[in-house]
Amino acid sequence: MNNAKSDIEPLIMVRQLTSEYGDQVILDKVSFDVHKGEILVILGGSGCGKTTLLRHMVGLNKTHKGSIHIEGHDICNGDDSIYQAALKKIGILFQNGALLGSMTVSENVALPIIENARLSKQALKRLVRMKLTMVGLGEYGHYLPSELSGGMRKRAALARALALNPEILFLDEPSAGLDPITSAEIDDLILMINRNIGTTMVIVTHELASIFALAKRVIMLDKSVKGIIADGEPHHLKQHSDNPLVRQFFNRESRNQAI
Amino acid sequence: MATAASVPVCTITIEQPDEASTRLSLSGRLESGNAARVIEDVLSRLATHPPLRLDVNLERIHYFDDYGSLVLQEIRHFVESRKAAFQLINVPEHVESILSLVDFHHQDYLPTNSKKKPISIFVRMGEAVIIQLDTFKYMTSFLGSVSICLVHGVLHPRSIRWGDTIVYMQKTGVDAVPIVALISFLLGLIMAFVSSMQLEQFGAGIYVASLVALSMVSEFGPIITAIIVAGRSGSAYAAEIGTMQISEEIDALFTMGFQPTLFLAIPRLIAAVIVVPVLTLFSDVFAILGGLVVSSTMLDLTVGTYITQTLEALTLFELMWGLMKSAVFAVLIALVGCLRGFQVRGGASEVGNAATSAVVSSIFLIILFDSIFAVIRSYW
Ligand SMILES: Nc1ncnc2c1ncn2[C@@H]1O[C@H](COP(=O)(O)OP(=O)(O)O)[C@@H](O)[C@H]1O
Ligand SMILES: [Mg+2]
């Protein structure tokens, strides 16, 4: 299926991934690819395992049932050095931001940069300020995360995820809980970064507006099959999907049967 | 992947078409992988020939990210701080879009505003006093709220969370029995050992029993138990409540109509006041047992004489005095632990500080109150 699409190897290759918490199976034999430079949106109802899938893709949840290759290296079954090397290529925006509460916003953003780039103090300050300007928080560097609003915390966390200009950025609900304007601004920022820096994005989101603005391709998960029920272009799926659940999602209709 | 070679290449050329101006051409990739090196390179080369006017030609840049704009900023700052002119020429569109994203043209992000003015010593002293006053105010209001809740609890006993109280009694009391017993036993052992060496010389070995019993029951029993409880449970109270504070759980309780003090502090307080005296009793008994072991093995005392002597030395008053003290210590530990927890603001490290501070303050207060008790007794 992926051979037809392009001759180059996909950036991320998920094969037969099975995920379980205890004996509760969340995902059952899920396979898909993420190609270089694309924005892939993962969507689905609450509790269908989107965050779980994302955690597997960044290696926080581990399993040997199935494989995940990033640039051809298997992070599920390979040894730790492979995983460490893969970590250098990815940035993650957690669902709750996960900023370190005892550090200011600037220090949070500076943290990965200090670890990985040899910059002078002054250059570091400039870079951090620049990253914060990108997400619209230029003036808030000296604030503690607890002194920010929820949306600002999200944006600060996005700045930290972008700190090293990772090749792949995983975003877990980047615009959940934000007002439509801020949310649209974050979408613009994501598109901008994708277009200019070439970052591959894997985004979990529910926001229909964001999905249509961002995604060339979406993957929809569902509890009933514990896996993917649709894979394709959102406008196309909205009109022509043969699965009523998918059409309902895109058209914002309620479903009448129980979950 | 072919383009993203492991070492991204950026070629730097510097020409001087005429005396007045210098032209710096950057070409290739300017990105996170090589920004630090390019900055170092360019600045060291510009330092040897300081330009009067610098034109930076970006025509042949084919990959550029925000680290690239950092490079340009560093160069601009270097040039402009030497009173020379800086200008970008032939800026490709993709570079321009990054530059506008980070607001390159309007800001120099000079880190000057972050430089703090030295604060005068009076301002700092004033601040310290204000902080202390604030803490004091908070403490007073906390004590007030505890008192109100206690009165409320006496009038409406059902409003107290007895289920939680029993859980804390187990955590604070039952779970601490082994460590309190062990430490007290060893303490009794040591005391008997040291005092027997002195008293033996006068043939007064029998008084080892009185010494161990009296000093444990009226002094060391309450203190050692209180210190152990402060370390085990006072810190836990502070950490638990502090974590709830930073994750807005306490705010949630408040909005649901619960009084956080009644909900969180009172059960811990009641639990501590009940179990700490009991633990102290354990401590006394085990210390006397430790003394008994030393006396009956090293001295020629029989178990019977040791126990008789112990009972003779002790009075009910001594015992009650010790238990009363330990109840006061329990109040101190629970109040300080909860207070420090409620005072937490900010993040995870604040929780750690609260736990540390809870232990340190309670131990200090325990010793302080013990001295006060000693003074009271001597003027009795
Ligand atoms: N750490 C965990 N332990 C057990 N079950 C979990 C854990 N995390 C998530 N789950 C369960 O896995 C399912 C999927 O969760 P999640 O991936 O967070 O859903 P979402 O799609 O909303 O992000 C849910 O039913 C949830 O209860
Ligand atoms: Mg989720």
Side-chain angles (χ1 to χ4, degrees):
Chain A
M1 144 195 159
N2 51 320
N3 286 350
K5 199 150 190 169
S6 69
D7 51 347
I8 46 169
E9 181 182 12
L11 188 59
I12 307 176
M13 216 163 66
V14 179
R15 287 291 173 273
Q16 301 288 315
L17 180 75
T18 297
S19 169
E20 44 209 10
Y21 289 113
D23 47 11
Q24 182 196 7
V25 178
I26 307 292
L27 299 170
D28 190 22
K29 299 210 175 69
V30 171
S31 302
F32 63 95
D33 293 330
V34 183
H35 297 278
K36 191 168 170 56
E38 84 172 334
I39 297 182
L40 174 71
V41 169
I42 300 175
L43 42 88
S46 245
C48 67
K50 304 179 297 292
T51 300
T52 306
L53 178 57
L54 212 62
R55 288 177 63 86
H56 276 289
M57 292 171 82
V58 300
L60 287 172
N61 283 11
K62 298 203 189 307
T63 178
H64 292 294
K65 296 185 178 170
S67 67
I68 297 172
H69 291 261
I70 294 185
E71 288 192 333
H73 302 294
D74 188 349
I75 62 163
C76 274
N77 307 300
D79 61 32
D80 193 51
S81 62
I82 293 178
Y83 176 53
Q84 292 300 330
L87 272 186
K88 293 226 184 300
K89 298 183 190 125
I90 64 184
I92 308 153
L93 172 65
F94 288 94
Q95 198 162 357
N96 299 317
L99 294 166
L100 302 186
S102 53
M103 295 184 178
T104 64
V105 170
S106 291
E107 287 166 345
N108 264 288
V109 177
L111 195 63
I113 303 176
I114 295 171
E115 272 302 298
N116 288 290
R118 266 179 324 113
L119 290 175
S120 70
K121 258 198 175 137
Q122 180 188 279
L124 179 70
K125 269 186 185 162
R126 284 216 170 93
L127 184 62
V128 168
R129 181 73 195 269
M130 214 149 66
K131 295 280 182 193
L132 288 175
T133 307
M134 271 164 73
V135 297
L137 288 178
E139 304 301 321
Y140 291 92
H142 58 284
Y143 278 57
L144 285 174
S146 56
E147 298 165 341
L148 297 179
S149 77
M152 288 156 87
R153 235 174 280 168
K154 263 274 160 67
R155 284 186 278 158
L158 182 60
R160 186 180 68 179
L162 286 171
L164 295 172
N165 287 343
E167 262 179 70
I168 314 164
L169 193 56
F170 294 92
L171 308 164
D172 197 352
E173 309 208 2
S175 45
L178 303 185
D179 64 280
I181 297 176
T182 313
S183 163
E185 278 169 6
I186 291 206
D187 291 347
D188 286 348
L189 180 65
I190 289 172
L191 277 176
M192 181 82 192
I193 290 163
N194 173 259
R195 203 174 303 138
N196 290 299
I197 304 183
T199 312
T200 307
M201 308 265 184
V202 178
I203 305 173
V204 169
T205 182
H206 293 291
E207 313 265 324
L208 279 178
S210 294
I211 293 168
F212 288 118
L214 293 174
K216 293 279 176 309
R217 190 180 144 219
V218 302
I219 287 179
M220 185 162 173
L221 301 179
D222 194 72
K223 262 187 185 165
S224 57
V225 298
K226 301 193 170 75
I228 300 174
I229 56 169
D231 180 343
E233 204 274 335
H235 292 281
H236 180 83
L237 290 178
K238 177 177 176 174
Q239 306 295 343
H240 307 294
S241 172
D242 40 10
N243 191 330
L245 219 60
V246 180
R247 289 199 307 272
Q248 277 164 356
F249 185 96
F250 283 110
N251 292 306
R252 258 181 131 256
E253 290 161 0
S254 71
R255 97 187 86 165
N256 295 323
Q257 70 255 52
I259 300 174
Chain B
M1 274 310 83
T3 46
S6 55
V7 186
V9 184
C10 175
T11 323
I12 306 164
T13 30
I14 297 184
E15 309 154 310
Q16 254 183 317
D18 52 77
E19 270 304 288
S21 72
T22 307
R23 172 183 280 233
L24 167 69
S25 301
L26 299 171
S27 60
R29 300 173 67 87
L30 199 49
E31 55 156 288
S32 53
N34 60 9
R37 226 184 27 249
V38 173
I39 291 174
E40 213 173 282
D41 237 31
V42 172
L43 292 192
S44 67
R45 283 165 70 172
L46 287 182
T48 53
H49 303 286
L52 293 174
R53 211 189 84 207
L54 184 73
D55 299 325
V56 180
N57 180 9
L58 299 175
E59 193 178 3
R60 308 241 304 278
I61 290 281
H62 58 77
Y63 182 88
F64 187 88
D65 66 15
D66 50 353
Y67 279 71
S69 85
L70 175 70
V71 173
L72 298 183
Q73 284 206 26
E74 288 289 301
I75 297 173
R76 177 169 71 180
H77 178 74
F78 178 88
V79 171
E80 287 180 350
S81 65
R82 282 164 182 70
K83 304 272 183 296
F86 173 91
Q87 177 180 313
L88 296 180
I89 53 176
N90 302 328
V91 183
E93 205 180 320
H94 67 100
V95 173
E96 184 54 48
S97 62
I98 295 273
L99 290 181
S100 64
L101 187 65
V102 301
D103 212 5
F104 179 83
H105 300 292
H106 300 114
Q107 259 180 312
D108 184 26
Y109 305 114
L110 263 185
T112 44
N113 55 352
S114 64
K115 215 178 261 173
K116 290 189 199 95
K117 265 188 279 171
I119 303 168
S120 98
I121 186 160
F122 295 107
V123 174
R124 264 190 281 172
M125 272 162 59
E127 270 175 357
V129 170
I130 289 172
I131 289 175
Q132 288 305 319
L133 283 180
D134 259 4
T135 315
F136 184 73
K137 209 171 88 185
Y138 193 89
M139 221 165 77
T140 320
S141 82
F142 176 71
L143 284 181
S145 134
V146 168
S147 321
I148 291 171
C149 287
L150 278 179
V151 172
H152 182 84
V154 170
L155 298 180
H156 311 273
R158 289 165 137 268
S159 68
I160 292 176
R161 298 178 56 82
W162 294 110
D164 285 358
T165 310
I166 292 183
V167 172
Y168 294 128
M169 279 167 70
Q170 193 206 329
K171 283 195 199 169
T172 311
V174 180
D175 296 353
V177 169
I179 185 73
V180 168
L182 178 66
I183 291 184
S184 305
F185 180 79
L186 293 177
L187 203 66
L189 216 74
I190 295 164
M191 254 194 299
F193 182 69
V194 174
S195 56
S196 69
M197 288 199 298
Q198 299 297 317
L199 294 174
E200 272 271 80
Q201 297 175 3
F202 308 104
I206 182 81
Y207 289 111
V208 168
S210 334
L211 201 138
V212 170
L214 269 181
S215 53
M216 272 319 281
V217 167
S218 67
E219 285 297 329
F220 294 121
I223 289 192
I224 207 73
T225 310
I227 288 178
I228 292 170
V229 172
R232 280 186 83 254
S233 304
S235 55
Y237 294 170
E240 283 165 13
I241 296 179
T243 309
M244 293 181 75
Q245 181 74 265
I246 59 173
S247 52
E248 296 180 324
E249 286 175 40
I250 291 182
D251 299 342
L253 281 178
F254 191 74
T255 53
M256 284 187 282
F258 293 105
Q259 173 66 41
T261 318
L262 186 60
F263 196 97
L264 299 169
I266 299 297
R268 289 173 167 85
L269 180 65
I270 296 177
V273 172
I274 295 175
V275 297
V276 173
V278 179
L279 277 178
T280 306
L281 218 51
F282 271 96
S283 159
D284 296 345
V285 170
F286 276 90
I288 291 171
L289 236 117
L292 180 65
V293 168
V294 169
S295 313
S296 53
T297 50
M298 295 181 50
L299 304 173
D300 303 329
L301 290 180
T302 63
V303 174
T305 43
Y306 185 91
I307 291 177
T308 321
Q309 180 63 26
T310 300
L311 291 179
E312 213 151 274
L314 282 179
T315 60
L316 186 64
F317 175 77
E318 289 291 347
L319 185 69
M320 296 318 281
W321 180 255
L323 294 185
M324 187 275 294
K325 284 208 296 195
S326 74
V328 172
F329 296 160
V331 172
L332 292 176
I333 294 166
L335 286 184
V336 170
C338 295
L339 173 70
R340 291 286 184 255
F342 282 117
Q343 279 177 323
V344 168
R345 298 287 178 276
S349 70
E350 289 302 310
V351 176
N353 291 345
T356 307
S357 148
V359 176
V360 174
S361 319
S362 354
I363 291 180
F364 169 73
L365 285 175
I366 288 166
I367 305 291
L368 180 72
F369 271 70
D370 193 57
S371 331
I372 295 176
F373 283 127
V375 172
I376 291 176
R377 250 196 105 169
S378 63
Y379 285 101
W380 196 274

